[in-house]
Amino acid sequence: MQPTAFNDLHAVPWKNGGGVTRELACFPPGAGFDDFTWRISIADVNATGPFSSFPGIDRIITLLDGDGMRLEFSDCKLHGLTEKLLPFSFPGEAQVHAELVGAPSRDFNLMLRRGRATGRVDVLRASGIIASNNMLIYCVGGRWRLGTEECVLHAGDHVLLEGGMTGAKIDMLEPDGALLCVKINLTD
């Protein structure tokens, strides 16, 4: 099990063409925007504009870097996505306009096809035990060791755990580190 570095990810245009995203993982492998069951990506938000619409998709977005954005929904609800590492859920079919509140931002995205997958994003800031074998771990900062192997994660690295890793230990090797732990359950 080897981590994948952020710099090894390929940037592709957003569904609406308004920015770029880097896919960390999706299921089934190789699925496109219209046929994935779940998808995990990192997006660079460089300008104010609309979010892409994803009907039938539950979305969880987490600010990683930058000043964040103000999300305005078509029903006039507002949400300030300005606090780093605080996951926010919303339906993918919602019409959302994002206004940057300062510098460009980078966010972490989990998309789940409703009725086929559920999931969550948890923030880990201390050593512990990985409770699930169906998850992706993304290193936001610091250095972390996974399991007894020499699998060391640095900022921007991620690893997909599929089977056999339940109860694996994760050790923070530097102070002030953080991980995003994505847990996914297939429902069909």
Side-chain angles (χ1 to χ4, degrees):
M1 169 180 41
Q2 291 298 315
T4 301
F6 180 81
N7 290 337
D8 292 338
L9 301 174
H10 180 67
V12 297
W14 292 350
K15 183 178 177 184
N16 70 5
V20 297
T21 188
R22 290 167 179 85
E23 183 177 283
L24 279 65
C26 77
F27 182 81
F33 286 126
D34 295 323
D35 58 354
F36 64 82
T37 298
W38 58 262
R39 182 175 190 270
I40 302 169
S41 63
I42 294 177
D44 291 328
V45 183
N46 296 320
T48 292
F51 272 23
S52 299
S53 178
F54 284 93
I57 301 295
D58 291 322
R59 297 181 70 171
I60 302 173
I61 186 171
T62 306
L63 180 63
L64 293 174
D65 196 24
D67 294 327
M69 58 196 111
R70 186 174 21 262
L71 305 179
E72 183 177 346
F73 292 81
S74 59
D75 62 2
C76 297
K77 290 182 182 173
L78 298 173
H79 177 78
L81 188 72
T82 55
E83 186 175 335
K84 293 177 184 169
L85 304 184
L86 185 63
F88 173 69
S89 302
F90 64 98
E93 59 272 6
Q95 298 300 305
V96 181
H97 187 267
E99 181 181 335
L100 288 174
V101 296
S105 298
R106 178 169 283 164
D107 58 60
F108 184 91
N109 298 280
L110 170 61
M111 294 190 223
L112 304 150
R113 190 158 312 274
R114 205 170 295 130
R116 292 176 47 196
T118 61
R120 67 177 195 264
V121 177
D122 296 316
V123 179
L124 183 64
R125 296 181 186 269
S127 297
I129 302 294
I130 300 298
S132 173
N133 61 2
N134 293 316
M135 70 175 11
L136 181 135
I137 298 174
Y138 176 78
C139 182
V140 178
R143 280 186 326 117
W144 299 76
R145 182 177 49 241
L146 177 62
T148 57
E149 303 177 27
E150 279 304 311
C151 179
V152 176
L153 299 168
H154 299 86
D157 291 351
H158 74 277
V159 65
L160 183 63
L161 306 179
E162 298 177 292
M165 288 298 294
T166 300
K169 186 162 176 43
I170 186 103
D171 292 308
M172 183 168 44
L173 303 176
E174 296 175 354
D176 300 323
L179 295 174
L180 293 181
C181 300
V182 178
K183 170 71 171 125
I184 298 169
N185 293 306
L186 298 179
T187 57
D188 60 8

